[in-house]
Amino acid sequence: MLAALGVVFGDIGTSPLYAFKETLNPAHGVAFEPSAVLGLLSLIVWGLMLVVTLKYVVFVLRADYDGEGGILALQALARQAVQRMHGPRWMLAAVFWLGLVGAAMFYGDSLITPAIPVLSAVEGLEVQAPALQRVVVPITLAILVVLFAVQYRGTSVMGRVFGPVMLLWFTVIGVAGLWQVLQNPQVLAALDPSQAIGFLLTHPAQSLAVLGAVFLAFTGGEALYADMGHFGARPIRLAWLFIALPGLVLNYFGQGALVLRDPAAVDNPFYRVFPSWAVLPMVVLAAAATVIASQAVISGAFSLTAQAMRMSYLPRARIVHTSGDAIGQIYIPAVNWLLMTGVLLLVLGFKSSEALSAAYGIAVSITMVTTTLLAGVVAWGLWRVNRWLVAVGVGVFAAIDLTFVVANSLKIAEGGWLTLMVAAGAMLVFTTWYKGRALGMAAQAQQMVPLAPFVESLALDMPHRVRGTAVFLTPEAQVVPHALLHNLAHNQVLHDQVIVLALQSADTPRVPARDRLTAQDMGHGIWAVTARYGFMEERNVPELVRMLAYQKGLTIDSMSTSYFTSRASVGRRRLPGMNRLRQALFGWLQRNGARASDYFHLPENRLVEMGQRLW
C-alpha cells in the first residue's frame, strides 16, 4: 500500500496545489462570495466521491484482468464480454474504437500531467519571494530532467522511495487543512450536496467554465486503474480510502475556510494555508510530491505502450523489466525520452501552471467517458449484472463524464488543442500500424506454402543436413517460413533439427505455462510449434526452445542453435485502403521498430534476418 501510495496517487494527490485556486479564477465570471466558495467546495468534494471513489475505486477496479488494468485491458475484457453475449459486429467495432480513443487520450494526458504539478509546486517560491519568479521555469526543467533520467530504476524502487514522501504529504496537507477548518467550521456546510446544486442553478452561464476548473481536482483518477498492474487493486483501494481521500478533502476544506476568512488569500490558497515559516519547506515537499505526480502517469504510459505493442496497435519497442517479482513493472526507453522531450517543450512554451491549466482536462475527461462505456459492457456481459441496473449506472456516470467533456471543451482554443493533437497523432499511429500489419499478414498468407506437403517433398530429395538447430519464426506454424525457403534456395542446406515457431497473442494478460506450447513432430527432424502469450508477457524465444527440449526430450545445444527471422518491407506499390501519407508512416514505423533480437531476446551472434518485400 505504501508503494502504491508513492506511484499511483501523485497526480490526484497534488491537485490541491492548483485546482481550488483555478475554480476561484475571476475570469470565470463568478463573484467572490461565501455561497460561491461553499458551492465550489461542494462540487469538488462530491466529484471526488462520485467520479473517483464510486466509479473508479468501487466499480472500475473490479475490472481486474488477471491483475492488469488500464484502458486496453478493459477493452480486451469488453471484447470478451461481447463475444460471450454473441453481440453484433457493430458492438465489437465500438469496443475496438472506444479502447483506441481512450488509449490515445491517455497519451495526450501523459504529455501534460508531469508539467503542471511541478510548475505549480515551484511557483510556491513566488509566495515567499516574488523576485524568484524568474527561476521557476529553470528549476522546473531541472526537476523534470532528473525524474525522467531515473526511470530506468523501475516503479518498485520509485514506490519505496516515494511512498513515505506521499504519506508525509497527505498527512501534512490534511493537518494544515484541519487547522483552518477548526478556525472556521462553517465551511463544513459544503458537505451538503445542495450547495453544489445551488451553485450550478445560481450561475448557469458560468457553470461550464467553472466545471472545467473543478475537473482539475479529479485528474489522476484514471491512473488508479491504469497502474493497477503494478500493485494490485486492494492496496490502491486502501491507500485511497484511508490516506489519500481524507487528506485531500481536509485540505480543500482548509483552503475554503481560509479564503472565507481572508479573501486576499485567493491568489494562492494552498500555500497561504501554512504559516509563513512553513512555506519554503512546503515548496520542497510539494516539489517532491509533484515529481511523484509525474511518476503515476509515466508508469501508466509504460504499461499502456507494452499492452498496445502486444495487441498489434504499436510496433515493437525495447522493454526493460525492472523487477524480478512483478511482471508489470517495466521501463520503455523510447517512451521515456519522447515524453521527456514533449514535457520540457510544454514547460518552455506555457511557462506557468495557470497557462497550462487551460490545456488540461479535455483528454482526461474523454478517457473517462470511454472507461465508463467499456466498464458497462463488462458489467453486463461478464459480471451478469442486471441490464437495466447497468443502463442506469452507465447513464449516470456517462452524463457526469460528458458534462465535464463539454466543460473542458471551452479550453480547446486556449491550449486544449495541444492534448487533442497528441491524441490524434497517437490514434493515427494506432490505426496505421494495425491496418498495415493486417494487410501484411494477408499478403503473407497469399504467399504461404503448407508445411506438411513441403516436408514430404523434402523427403524425396533431402538437401544436405548440417549440425545444430535452426529456429524459424513465422506467423503460422503450419506454413513454411519465408526465411526457411530463402535459406534453402541460397544456402541449399538444412539443419539437423528445424523448429518452425509461431508466436501468437492471446486475448488475456497471461497464459498459464501448461498451455504455452503446442508442438507437432512433422518428421525428418522438423517440428511445428505454436507458443501463446498474453498481452502483458514478454516473448523470450530461447526460453521457449529450452522448454520445448524439456517437454519433448530433444537434445538442443544453445550454442549451436541459430535463429532465423524475416523483416517485411513496404515497396512503392499502393497499399489497399491506405493513402500515401499513412503508407509512408507505416513504412517509417516498420523500419524503426525494435530489432527482433531485442524484442524476442535472441542472441545477436546467432541471429539471421532476411528481408521480405510484400508489396
Side-chain angles (χ1 to χ4, degrees), residues 576-587:
M578 268 197 184
N579 57 41
R580 295 198 178 277
L581 174 64
R582 293 185 70 192
Q583 183 167 334
L585 174 61
F586 178 71

Side-chain angles (χ1 to χ4, degrees), residues 227-289:
D227 284 333
M228 185 170 68
H230 292 269
F231 303 103
R234 181 175 168 79
I236 292 174
R237 284 196 181 102
L238 292 173
W240 172 255
L241 294 173
F242 295 104
I243 300 174
L245 180 61
L248 289 173
V249 171
L250 284 172
N251 189 261
Y252 281 123
F253 272 92
Q255 291 187 49
L258 175 65
V259 298
L260 284 174
R261 192 176 72 252
D262 179 15
V266 75
D267 65 330
N268 201 322
F270 176 81
Y271 283 108
R272 301 290 184 194
V273 162
F274 299 91
S276 58
W277 59 266
V279 170
L280 193 56
M282 277 309 300
V283 171
V284 175
L285 180 58

Side-chain angles (χ1 to χ4, degrees), residues 1-228:
M1 185 177 73
L2 191 63
L5 197 69
V7 172
V8 178
F9 295 98
D11 186 7
I12 196 168
T14 53
S15 57
L17 282 163
Y18 50 84
F20 187 63
K21 170 187 171 183
E22 185 58 27
T23 63
L24 297 170
N25 192 327
H28 300 320
V30 177
F32 184 89
E33 53 188 10
S35 62
V37 173
L38 293 175
L40 291 168
L41 274 176
S42 189
L43 283 169
I44 289 175
V45 170
W46 284 102
L48 287 172
M49 294 299 179
L50 292 174
V51 176
V52 183
T53 306
L54 188 59
K55 179 178 142 183
Y56 277 98
V57 175
V58 175
F59 292 119
V60 176
L61 284 180
R62 285 189 61 205
D64 176 344
Y65 204 167
D66 289 352
E68 295 302 327
I71 192 70
L72 292 182
L74 187 61
Q75 181 203 48
L77 272 176
R79 186 162 55 238
Q80 193 179 98
V82 173
Q83 291 167 348
R84 184 171 295 183
M85 293 186 297
H86 304 291
R89 293 187 64 181
W90 68 263
M91 190 176 288
L92 274 175
V95 166
F96 171 81
W97 286 107
L98 282 171
L100 285 194
V101 169
M105 292 298 166
F106 187 87
Y107 279 117
D109 174 43
S110 299
L111 191 65
I112 199 169
T113 296
I116 186 170
V118 177
L119 259 176
S120 299
V122 181
E123 283 169 352
L125 291 172
E126 300 174 29
V127 176
Q128 188 76 355
L132 294 176
Q133 181 180 3
R134 65 180 182 276
V135 302
V136 167
V137 170
I139 292 176
T140 300
L141 294 175
I143 291 172
L144 289 169
V145 168
V146 171
L147 170 68
F148 282 100
V150 299
Q151 286 300 312
Y152 73 95
R153 301 296 298 272
T155 51
S156 60
V157 174
M158 298 293 185
R160 286 196 297 271
V161 174
F162 291 162
V165 176
M166 288 308 295
L167 181 60
L168 177 63
W169 168 260
F170 284 117
T171 302
V172 170
I173 66 172
V175 169
L178 179 61
W179 174 249
Q180 295 292 338
V181 170
L182 291 175
Q183 295 182 66
N184 194 3
Q186 72 189 58
V187 74
L188 294 176
L191 287 171
D192 183 355
S194 66
Q195 294 282 352
I197 298 170
F199 177 88
L200 296 176
L201 294 176
T202 308
H203 304 87
Q206 298 85 9
S207 290
L208 279 181
V210 170
L211 285 174
V214 168
F215 187 74
L216 296 174
F218 319 140
T219 54
E222 74 286 351
L224 275 65
Y225 184 53
D227 284 333
M228 185 170 68

